[in-house]
Amino acid sequence: MIGYKLTDENMRTFGGFQWVLGELLPVPPTDGVGELCGRGWVHIYDDPLVAMFLNPIGANFSKPRMFMAEWEGATRAECGLKRGVTQCRLIEEMALPNITTVQRVAFGILCAKAVCHKEQWRNWADGWLKGVDRSAHAAYAAAHDAGNYVPAAHTAADAAYAAYAAHAAYAAHAVAAGAAAAAAGSITDAILAAEPAASQAAKYTAYAAHVQQDKFNLSELAKQAMTYQ
């Protein structure tokens, strides 16, 4: 099977592990159990764009390199965010997609819209995506509105959904703040706010969608985000 692996500029990953192109990396067997953040799993992504959009809440490589990878053995996926595998070989280095701050904000908005149903925030989100109003004033107002969003919960599943949706809305708050910084011309602040916030919005939206057994396709949202300028 094919996946995608990010490394730092020296082909190293967590703990300074050194990867070598073409060499198979077997890890301690897990038999498909255990947490993905524990021993026995190599982290990869199913989609190269998702890998780059989620880098800020993953390894957060400042100068990432991306490789196409072959994997086999046991596997475990985390709501479309990442995948754990037990055997992995880097087979080809790939060019990194050029993702702009606008596209990162768009990705965060598109993800958060799946679970953040506050009308005022959604109106801002739709307007921002259409390019109607990307002003700092509107974005700050939307950030405040999303920060006050707490969905209702009546069952245990609802409570889990509500918790994740609230986290996604909080991330939507930060995405809007990032959009505001971009609109105000503070590109450094925009990047610092938008990149991790967009990733967090994707993460918690994916969890909420998983709880509700909703169809949520990060790959499609990533592709859609790349169309924004």
Side-chain angles (χ1 to χ4, degrees), residues 29-191:
T30 67
D31 296 324
V33 299
E35 296 297 325
L36 281 181
C37 58
R39 287 176 54 81
W41 295 112
V42 173
H43 293 168
I44 62 171
Y45 295 92
D46 291 334
D47 182 277
L49 279 178
V50 171
M52 288 301 296
F53 275 119
L54 297 187
N55 177 48
I57 60 166
N60 195 25
F61 295 121
S62 59
K63 297 179 180 179
R65 294 170 67 180
M66 181 182 296
F67 296 86
M68 184 180 294
E70 290 180 336
W71 65 266
E72 55 189 86
T75 184
R76 181 175 177 180
E78 184 185 28
C79 303
L81 297 166
K82 62 186 177 184
R83 178 179 298 278
V85 299
T86 54
Q87 296 184 56
C88 184
R89 177 188 289 109
L90 305 186
I91 57 175
E92 179 184 349
E93 185 163 9
M94 301 174 59
L96 292 176
N98 181 24
I99 301 176
T100 67
T101 299
V102 165
Q103 289 162 346
R104 289 191 181 278
V105 173
F107 180 65
I109 290 173
L110 291 168
C111 290
K113 278 187 66 179
V115 293
C116 185
H117 302 299
K118 195 74 176 289
E119 183 177 3
Q120 184 175 338
W121 182 86
R122 290 180 67 86
N123 288 340
W124 166 80
D126 289 338
W128 193 96
L129 291 171
K130 293 176 182 177
V132 174
D133 188 354
R134 294 184 178 178
S135 68
H137 175 76
Y140 278 126
H144 175 76
D145 198 55
N148 293 328
Y149 175 67
V150 180
H154 304 289
T155 67
D158 287 341
Y161 170 81
Y164 291 137
H167 280 301
Y170 182 78
H173 165 97
V175 168
S186 179
I187 299 303
T188 299
D189 289 345
I191 292 172

